[in-house]
Amino acid sequence: MISYRIIAPLIIPKLKKSLQSNDLKTFCFLWERNTGKQTIEVTDENGTRIIEGVISINEILTQGMGRKLVSLLDKEYKGWNTLIGLIDTDKKKITFIFKENEHTIGTRIY
């Protein structure tokens, strides 16, 4: 089962290092599966900012454990093509929203 306690230790340290952040509060991404296009927004000690070129969501979700996660999600949310993810370190939650074109077809909170 996916949970914050399992995912956070794997992702948060890498994000902090990549973003040169000491106090990462939220990490939000939008990933379009068909095109690989991504938008990333972070909130940390420097405020809220859109980042580019630091992290590839496409690489994370198409290789290794990310690929296995996507495979599991495919079984539950057939036809999704956009994934919105939010990691909130204050609330210790991870939220995924699955969309098929403009329609939300599912939401998972861990």
Side-chain angles (χ1 to χ4, degrees), residues 2-31:
I2 301 167
S3 74
Y4 182 87
R5 290 186 330 197
I6 293 169
I7 294 175
L10 299 172
I11 296 174
I12 302 295
K14 291 178 184 176
L15 289 173
K16 285 182 174 181
K17 184 177 179 182
S18 295
L19 301 170
Q20 299 177 349
S21 174
N22 295 320
D23 185 22
L24 183 65
K25 296 181 186 329
T26 62
F27 173 81
C28 184
F29 67 87
L30 181 139
W31 178 58

PDB file of all heavy atoms in Angstrom, residues 2-31:
ATOM      1  N   ILE A   2       0.502   2.231  -0.745  1.00  0.00           N
ATOM      2  CA  ILE A   2       1.219   3.491  -0.816  1.00  0.00           C
ATOM      3  C   ILE A   2       0.863   4.316   0.418  1.00  0.00           C
ATOM      4  O   ILE A   2      -0.290   4.378   0.805  1.00  0.00           O
ATOM      5  CB  ILE A   2       0.816   4.268  -2.085  1.00  0.00           C
ATOM      6  CG1 ILE A   2       1.124   3.431  -3.323  1.00  0.00           C
ATOM      7  CG2 ILE A   2       1.513   5.613  -2.147  1.00  0.00           C
ATOM      8  CD1 ILE A   2       0.490   3.973  -4.576  1.00  0.00           C
ATOM      9  N   SER A   3       1.854   4.926   1.042  1.00  0.00           N
ATOM     10  CA  SER A   3       1.569   5.801   2.178  1.00  0.00           C
ATOM     11  C   SER A   3       2.622   6.905   2.244  1.00  0.00           C
ATOM     12  O   SER A   3       3.708   6.781   1.681  1.00  0.00           O
ATOM     13  CB  SER A   3       1.554   5.016   3.493  1.00  0.00           C
ATOM     14  OG  SER A   3       2.861   4.677   3.889  1.00  0.00           O
ATOM     15  N   TYR A   4       2.283   7.963   2.959  1.00  0.00           N
ATOM     16  CA  TYR A   4       3.215   9.077   3.130  1.00  0.00           C
ATOM     17  C   TYR A   4       4.498   8.582   3.789  1.00  0.00           C
ATOM     18  O   TYR A   4       5.591   8.963   3.394  1.00  0.00           O
ATOM     19  CB  TYR A   4       2.566  10.177   3.971  1.00  0.00           C
ATOM     20  CG  TYR A   4       3.471  11.379   4.153  1.00  0.00           C
ATOM     21  CD1 TYR A   4       3.485  12.402   3.219  1.00  0.00           C
ATOM     22  CD2 TYR A   4       4.333  11.470   5.245  1.00  0.00           C
ATOM     23  CE1 TYR A   4       4.320  13.495   3.367  1.00  0.00           C
ATOM     24  CE2 TYR A   4       5.174  12.565   5.403  1.00  0.00           C
ATOM     25  CZ  TYR A   4       5.170  13.568   4.469  1.00  0.00           C
ATOM     26  OH  TYR A   4       6.008  14.640   4.611  1.00  0.00           O
ATOM     27  N   ARG A   5       4.363   7.716   4.795  1.00  0.00           N
ATOM     28  CA  ARG A   5       5.538   7.222   5.543  1.00  0.00           C
ATOM     29  C   ARG A   5       6.509   6.462   4.656  1.00  0.00           C
ATOM     30  O   ARG A   5       7.698   6.425   4.928  1.00  0.00           O
ATOM     31  CB  ARG A   5       5.108   6.325   6.695  1.00  0.00           C
ATOM     32  CG  ARG A   5       4.428   7.059   7.800  1.00  0.00           C
ATOM     33  CD  ARG A   5       4.150   6.150   8.961  1.00  0.00           C
ATOM     34  NE  ARG A   5       3.947   4.775   8.508  1.00  0.00           N
ATOM     35  CZ  ARG A   5       3.382   3.834   9.218  1.00  0.00           C
ATOM     36  NH1 ARG A   5       2.949   4.090  10.412  1.00  0.00           N
ATOM     37  NH2 ARG A   5       3.239   2.621   8.743  1.00  0.00           N
ATOM     38  N   ILE A   6       6.001   5.837   3.596  1.00  0.00           N
ATOM     39  CA  ILE A   6       6.868   5.091   2.682  1.00  0.00           C
ATOM     40  C   ILE A   6       7.447   6.001   1.605  1.00  0.00           C
ATOM     41  O   ILE A   6       8.635   5.956   1.305  1.00  0.00           O
ATOM     42  CB  ILE A   6       6.087   3.921   2.036  1.00  0.00           C
ATOM     43  CG1 ILE A   6       5.737   2.892   3.111  1.00  0.00           C
ATOM     44  CG2 ILE A   6       6.886   3.284   0.911  1.00  0.00           C
ATOM     45  CD1 ILE A   6       4.763   1.833   2.662  1.00  0.00           C
ATOM     46  N   ILE A   7       6.607   6.835   1.015  1.00  0.00           N
ATOM     47  CA  ILE A   7       7.038   7.665  -0.113  1.00  0.00           C
ATOM     48  C   ILE A   7       7.900   8.850   0.316  1.00  0.00           C
ATOM     49  O   ILE A   7       8.915   9.142  -0.309  1.00  0.00           O
ATOM     50  CB  ILE A   7       5.818   8.158  -0.921  1.00  0.00           C
ATOM     51  CG1 ILE A   7       5.133   6.962  -1.581  1.00  0.00           C
ATOM     52  CG2 ILE A   7       6.221   9.174  -1.970  1.00  0.00           C
ATOM     53  CD1 ILE A   7       3.861   7.295  -2.308  1.00  0.00           C
ATOM     54  N   ALA A   8       7.506   9.535   1.377  1.00  0.00           N
ATOM     55  CA  ALA A   8       8.198  10.768   1.779  1.00  0.00           C
ATOM     56  C   ALA A   8       9.703  10.584   1.991  1.00  0.00           C
ATOM     57  O   ALA A   8      10.493  11.374   1.461  1.00  0.00           O
ATOM     58  CB  ALA A   8       7.543  11.363   3.018  1.00  0.00           C
ATOM     59  N   PRO A   9      10.161   9.558   2.728  1.00  0.00           N
ATOM     60  CA  PRO A   9      11.610   9.417   2.916  1.00  0.00           C
ATOM     61  C   PRO A   9      12.376   9.149   1.621  1.00  0.00           C
ATOM     62  O   PRO A   9      13.570   9.440   1.532  1.00  0.00           O
ATOM     63  CB  PRO A   9      11.735   8.219   3.866  1.00  0.00           C
ATOM     64  CG  PRO A   9      10.425   8.104   4.532  1.00  0.00           C
ATOM     65  CD  PRO A   9       9.415   8.600   3.529  1.00  0.00           C
ATOM     66  N   LEU A  10      11.691   8.617   0.627  1.00  0.00           N
ATOM     67  CA  LEU A  10      12.345   8.359  -0.654  1.00  0.00           C
ATOM     68  C   LEU A  10      12.433   9.610  -1.520  1.00  0.00           C
ATOM     69  O   LEU A  10      13.371   9.772  -2.298  1.00  0.00           O
ATOM     70  CB  LEU A  10      11.574   7.281  -1.429  1.00  0.00           C
ATOM     71  CG  LEU A  10      11.471   5.910  -0.763  1.00  0.00           C
ATOM     72  CD1 LEU A  10      10.526   5.023  -1.556  1.00  0.00           C
ATOM     73  CD2 LEU A  10      12.834   5.276  -0.631  1.00  0.00           C
ATOM     74  N   ILE A  11      11.438  10.487  -1.402  1.00  0.00           N
ATOM     75  CA  ILE A  11      11.337  11.639  -2.295  1.00  0.00           C
ATOM     76  C   ILE A  11      11.813  12.950  -1.670  1.00  0.00           C
ATOM     77  O   ILE A  11      12.551  13.707  -2.303  1.00  0.00           O
ATOM     78  CB  ILE A  11       9.879  11.809  -2.787  1.00  0.00           C
ATOM     79  CG1 ILE A  11       9.486  10.595  -3.620  1.00  0.00           C
ATOM     80  CG2 ILE A  11       9.700  13.087  -3.570  1.00  0.00           C
ATOM     81  CD1 ILE A  11       8.047  10.591  -4.041  1.00  0.00           C
ATOM     82  N   ILE A  12      11.390  13.239  -0.444  1.00  0.00           N
ATOM     83  CA  ILE A  12      11.649  14.553   0.176  1.00  0.00           C
ATOM     84  C   ILE A  12      13.140  14.900   0.225  1.00  0.00           C
ATOM     85  O   ILE A  12      13.513  16.007  -0.186  1.00  0.00           O
ATOM     86  CB  ILE A  12      11.011  14.652   1.579  1.00  0.00           C
ATOM     87  CG1 ILE A  12       9.503  14.424   1.503  1.00  0.00           C
ATOM     88  CG2 ILE A  12      11.343  15.964   2.258  1.00  0.00           C
ATOM     89  CD1 ILE A  12       8.727  15.453   0.746  1.00  0.00           C
ATOM     90  N   PRO A  13      14.026  14.017   0.686  1.00  0.00           N
ATOM     91  CA  PRO A  13      15.457  14.395   0.702  1.00  0.00           C
ATOM     92  C   PRO A  13      16.006  14.741  -0.685  1.00  0.00           C
ATOM     93  O   PRO A  13      16.776  15.691  -0.842  1.00  0.00           O
ATOM     94  CB  PRO A  13      16.152  13.159   1.274  1.00  0.00           C
ATOM     95  CG  PRO A  13      15.093  12.462   2.070  1.00  0.00           C
ATOM     96  CD  PRO A  13      13.817  12.711   1.311  1.00  0.00           C
ATOM     97  N   LYS A  14      15.578  13.990  -1.704  1.00  0.00           N
ATOM     98  CA  LYS A  14      16.028  14.275  -3.076  1.00  0.00           C
ATOM     99  C   LYS A  14      15.501  15.628  -3.549  1.00  0.00           C
ATOM    100  O   LYS A  14      16.217  16.385  -4.201  1.00  0.00           O
ATOM    101  CB  LYS A  14      15.571  13.166  -4.027  1.00  0.00           C
ATOM    102  CG  LYS A  14      16.277  11.857  -3.785  1.00  0.00           C
ATOM    103  CD  LYS A  14      15.761  10.789  -4.696  1.00  0.00           C
ATOM    104  CE  LYS A  14      16.413   9.453  -4.373  1.00  0.00           C
ATOM    105  NZ  LYS A  14      15.890   8.362  -5.171  1.00  0.00           N
ATOM    106  N   LEU A  15      14.236  15.908  -3.228  1.00  0.00           N
ATOM    107  CA  LEU A  15      13.667  17.193  -3.612  1.00  0.00           C
ATOM    108  C   LEU A  15      14.396  18.338  -2.931  1.00  0.00           C
ATOM    109  O   LEU A  15      14.736  19.340  -3.574  1.00  0.00           O
ATOM    110  CB  LEU A  15      12.178  17.253  -3.253  1.00  0.00           C
ATOM    111  CG  LEU A  15      11.237  16.392  -4.071  1.00  0.00           C
ATOM    112  CD1 LEU A  15       9.837  16.440  -3.489  1.00  0.00           C
ATOM    113  CD2 LEU A  15      11.231  16.827  -5.516  1.00  0.00           C
ATOM    114  N   LYS A  16      14.628  18.202  -1.638  1.00  0.00           N
ATOM    115  CA  LYS A  16      15.325  19.263  -0.902  1.00  0.00           C
ATOM    116  C   LYS A  16      16.699  19.531  -1.500  1.00  0.00           C
ATOM    117  O   LYS A  16      17.093  20.684  -1.676  1.00  0.00           O
ATOM    118  CB  LYS A  16      15.461  18.888   0.572  1.00  0.00           C
ATOM    119  CG  LYS A  16      14.185  19.025   1.356  1.00  0.00           C
ATOM    120  CD  LYS A  16      14.439  18.676   2.814  1.00  0.00           C
ATOM    121  CE  LYS A  16      13.234  18.934   3.675  1.00  0.00           C
ATOM    122  NZ  LYS A  16      13.499  18.624   5.081  1.00  0.00           N
ATOM    123  N   LYS A  17      17.407  18.457  -1.829  1.00  0.00           N
ATOM    124  CA  LYS A  17      18.750  18.618  -2.399  1.00  0.00           C
ATOM    125  C   LYS A  17      18.678  19.279  -3.780  1.00  0.00           C
ATOM    126  O   LYS A  17      19.407  20.229  -4.056  1.00  0.00           O
ATOM    127  CB  LYS A  17      19.442  17.263  -2.498  1.00  0.00           C
ATOM    128  CG  LYS A  17      20.858  17.350  -2.986  1.00  0.00           C
ATOM    129  CD  LYS A  17      21.524  15.994  -3.006  1.00  0.00           C
ATOM    130  CE  LYS A  17      22.947  16.113  -3.519  1.00  0.00           C
ATOM    131  NZ  LYS A  17      23.601  14.823  -3.603  1.00  0.00           N
ATOM    132  N   SER A  18      17.785  18.790  -4.627  1.00  0.00           N
ATOM    133  CA  SER A  18      17.648  19.345  -5.981  1.00  0.00           C
ATOM    134  C   SER A  18      17.233  20.802  -5.962  1.00  0.00           C
ATOM    135  O   SER A  18      17.677  21.596  -6.783  1.00  0.00           O
ATOM    136  CB  SER A  18      16.619  18.556  -6.782  1.00  0.00           C
ATOM    137  OG  SER A  18      17.054  17.247  -6.990  1.00  0.00           O
ATOM    138  N   LEU A  19      16.346  21.142  -5.018  1.00  0.00           N
ATOM    139  CA  LEU A  19      15.815  22.498  -4.949  1.00  0.00           C
ATOM    140  C   LEU A  19      16.635  23.415  -4.055  1.00  0.00           C
ATOM    141  O   LEU A  19      16.334  24.595  -3.932  1.00  0.00           O
ATOM    142  CB  LEU A  19      14.367  22.466  -4.429  1.00  0.00           C
ATOM    143  CG  LEU A  19      13.399  21.654  -5.271  1.00  0.00           C
ATOM    144  CD1 LEU A  19      12.074  21.485  -4.539  1.00  0.00           C
ATOM    145  CD2 LEU A  19      13.185  22.300  -6.616  1.00  0.00           C
ATOM    146  N   GLN A  20      17.668  22.866  -3.426  1.00  0.00           N
ATOM    147  CA  GLN A  20      18.485  23.606  -2.461  1.00  0.00           C
ATOM    148  C   GLN A  20      17.601  24.256  -1.408  1.00  0.00           C
ATOM    149  O   GLN A  20      17.692  25.445  -1.126  1.00  0.00           O
ATOM    150  CB  GLN A  20      19.363  24.628  -3.169  1.00  0.00           C
ATOM    151  CG  GLN A  20      20.321  23.988  -4.149  1.00  0.00           C
ATOM    152  CD  GLN A  20      21.143  24.993  -4.916  1.00  0.00           C
ATOM    153  OE1 GLN A  20      20.902  26.193  -4.891  1.00  0.00           O
ATOM    154  NE2 GLN A  20      22.151  24.498  -5.615  1.00  0.00           N
ATOM    155  N   SER A  21      16.735  23.410  -0.823  1.00  0.00           N
ATOM    156  CA  SER A  21      15.755  23.875   0.146  1.00  0.00           C
ATOM    157  C   SER A  21      15.969  23.175   1.486  1.00  0.00           C
ATOM    158  O   SER A  21      16.170  21.970   1.532  1.00  0.00           O
ATOM    159  CB  SER A  21      14.345  23.561  -0.367  1.00  0.00           C
ATOM    160  OG  SER A  21      13.383  23.860   0.600  1.00  0.00           O
ATOM    161  N   ASN A  22      15.924  23.943   2.575  1.00  0.00           N
ATOM    162  CA  ASN A  22      16.044  23.361   3.910  1.00  0.00           C
ATOM    163  C   ASN A  22      14.684  23.024   4.505  1.00  0.00           C
ATOM    164  O   ASN A  22      14.559  22.108   5.302  1.00  0.00           O
ATOM    165  CB  ASN A  22      16.771  24.326   4.853  1.00  0.00           C
ATOM    166  CG  ASN A  22      18.205  24.551   4.432  1.00  0.00           C
ATOM    167  OD1 ASN A  22      18.887  23.622   4.017  1.00  0.00           O
ATOM    168  ND2 ASN A  22      18.648  25.782   4.508  1.00  0.00           N
ATOM    169  N   ASP A  23      13.661  23.778   4.127  1.00  0.00           N
ATOM    170  CA  ASP A  23      12.337  23.624   4.727  1.00  0.00           C
ATOM    171  C   ASP A  23      11.275  23.531   3.629  1.00  0.00           C
ATOM    172  O   ASP A  23      10.543  24.477   3.378  1.00  0.00           O
ATOM    173  CB  ASP A  23      12.044  24.802   5.669  1.00  0.00           C
ATOM    174  CG  ASP A  23      10.736  24.644   6.420  1.00  0.00           C
ATOM    175  OD1 ASP A  23      10.258  23.500   6.568  1.00  0.00           O
ATOM    176  OD2 ASP A  23      10.189  25.665   6.860  1.00  0.00           O
ATOM    177  N   LEU A  24      11.194  22.362   2.987  1.00  0.00           N
ATOM    178  CA  LEU A  24      10.219  22.153   1.925  1.00  0.00           C
ATOM    179  C   LEU A  24       8.846  21.926   2.542  1.00  0.00           C
ATOM    180  O   LEU A  24       8.640  21.000   3.307  1.00  0.00           O
ATOM    181  CB  LEU A  24      10.611  20.941   1.082  1.00  0.00           C
ATOM    182  CG  LEU A  24       9.734  20.620  -0.114  1.00  0.00           C
ATOM    183  CD1 LEU A  24       9.800  21.732  -1.147  1.00  0.00           C
ATOM    184  CD2 LEU A  24      10.147  19.299  -0.735  1.00  0.00           C
ATOM    185  N   LYS A  25       7.908  22.818   2.248  1.00  0.00           N
ATOM    186  CA  LYS A  25       6.557  22.708   2.807  1.00  0.00           C
ATOM    187  C   LYS A  25       5.622  21.962   1.862  1.00  0.00           C
ATOM    188  O   LYS A  25       4.935  21.035   2.265  1.00  0.00           O
ATOM    189  CB  LYS A  25       6.000  24.082   3.136  1.00  0.00           C
ATOM    190  CG  LYS A  25       6.785  24.798   4.224  1.00  0.00           C
ATOM    191  CD  LYS A  25       6.195  26.147   4.528  1.00  0.00           C
ATOM    192  CE  LYS A  25       6.991  26.975   5.482  1.00  0.00           C
ATOM    193  NZ  LYS A  25       7.757  26.348   6.481  1.00  0.00           N
ATOM    194  N   THR A  26       5.582  22.358   0.594  1.00  0.00           N
ATOM    195  CA  THR A  26       4.753  21.664  -0.389  1.00  0.00           C
ATOM    196  C   THR A  26       5.501  21.533  -1.712  1.00  0.00           C
ATOM    197  O   THR A  26       6.328  22.367  -2.070  1.00  0.00           O
ATOM    198  CB  THR A  26       3.412  22.386  -0.666  1.00  0.00           C
ATOM    199  OG1 THR A  26       3.672  23.667  -1.215  1.00  0.00           O
ATOM    200  CG2 THR A  26       2.560  22.496   0.580  1.00  0.00           C
ATOM    201  N   PHE A  27       5.179  20.471  -2.394  1.00  0.00           N
ATOM    202  CA  PHE A  27       5.702  20.195  -3.725  1.00  0.00           C
ATOM    203  C   PHE A  27       4.502  19.750  -4.547  1.00  0.00           C
ATOM    204  O   PHE A  27       3.856  18.751  -4.233  1.00  0.00           O
ATOM    205  CB  PHE A  27       6.752  19.082  -3.659  1.00  0.00           C
ATOM    206  CG  PHE A  27       7.222  18.609  -5.007  1.00  0.00           C
ATOM    207  CD1 PHE A  27       8.172  19.323  -5.702  1.00  0.00           C
ATOM    208  CD2 PHE A  27       6.725  17.447  -5.567  1.00  0.00           C
ATOM    209  CE1 PHE A  27       8.619  18.889  -6.946  1.00  0.00           C
ATOM    210  CE2 PHE A  27       7.156  16.999  -6.802  1.00  0.00           C
ATOM    211  CZ  PHE A  27       8.114  17.720  -7.497  1.00  0.00           C
ATOM    212  N   CYS A  28       4.163  20.520  -5.555  1.00  0.00           N
ATOM    213  CA  CYS A  28       2.990  20.225  -6.378  1.00  0.00           C
ATOM    214  C   CYS A  28       3.432  20.098  -7.831  1.00  0.00           C
ATOM    215  O   CYS A  28       4.242  20.895  -8.306  1.00  0.00           O
ATOM    216  CB  CYS A  28       1.962  21.348  -6.235  1.00  0.00           C
ATOM    217  SG  CYS A  28       0.432  21.030  -7.124  1.00  0.00           S
ATOM    218  N   PHE A  29       2.906  19.073  -8.503  1.00  0.00           N
ATOM    219  CA  PHE A  29       3.238  18.919  -9.915  1.00  0.00           C
ATOM    220  C   PHE A  29       2.008  18.555 -10.720  1.00  0.00           C
ATOM    221  O   PHE A  29       1.056  17.966 -10.208  1.00  0.00           O
ATOM    222  CB  PHE A  29       4.327  17.861 -10.120  1.00  0.00           C
ATOM    223  CG  PHE A  29       3.906  16.452  -9.786  1.00  0.00           C
ATOM    224  CD1 PHE A  29       3.295  15.652 -10.735  1.00  0.00           C
ATOM    225  CD2 PHE A  29       4.121  15.931  -8.531  1.00  0.00           C
ATOM    226  CE1 PHE A  29       2.907  14.357 -10.440  1.00  0.00           C
ATOM    227  CE2 PHE A  29       3.735  14.639  -8.221  1.00  0.00           C
ATOM    228  CZ  PHE A  29       3.128  13.845  -9.176  1.00  0.00           C
ATOM    229  N   LEU A  30       2.044  18.920 -11.970  1.00  0.00           N
ATOM    230  CA  LEU A  30       1.052  18.519 -12.956  1.00  0.00           C
ATOM    231  C   LEU A  30       1.844  17.851 -14.065  1.00  0.00           C
ATOM    232  O   LEU A  30       2.821  18.424 -14.568  1.00  0.00           O
ATOM    233  CB  LEU A  30       0.296  19.730 -13.500  1.00  0.00           C
ATOM    234  CG  LEU A  30      -0.777  19.398 -14.531  1.00  0.00           C
ATOM    235  CD1 LEU A  30      -2.006  20.248 -14.277  1.00  0.00           C
ATOM    236  CD2 LEU A  30      -0.277  19.569 -15.936  1.00  0.00           C
ATOM    237  N   TRP A  31       1.471  16.610 -14.407  1.00  0.00           N
ATOM    238  CA  TRP A  31       2.190  15.853 -15.428  1.00  0.00           C
ATOM    239  C   TRP A  31       1.211  15.346 -16.457  1.00  0.00           C
ATOM    240  O   TRP A  31       0.242  14.670 -16.123  1.00  0.00           O
ATOM    241  CB  TRP A  31       2.930  14.683 -14.787  1.00  0.00           C
ATOM    242  CG  TRP A  31       3.674  13.813 -15.749  1.00  0.00           C
ATOM    243  CD1 TRP A  31       4.657  14.207 -16.610  1.00  0.00           C
ATOM    244  CD2 TRP A  31       3.520  12.403 -15.944  1.00  0.00           C
ATOM    245  NE1 TRP A  31       5.121  13.135 -17.328  1.00  0.00           N
ATOM    246  CE2 TRP A  31       4.436  12.002 -16.928  1.00  0.00           C
ATOM    247  CE3 TRP A  31       2.695  11.448 -15.374  1.00  0.00           C
ATOM    248  CZ2 TRP A  31       4.556  10.693 -17.361  1.00  0.00           C
ATOM    249  CZ3 TRP A  31       2.816  10.135 -15.803  1.00  0.00           C
ATOM    250  CH2 TRP A  31       3.737   9.763 -16.774  1.00  0.00           C
TER     251      TRP A  31
END
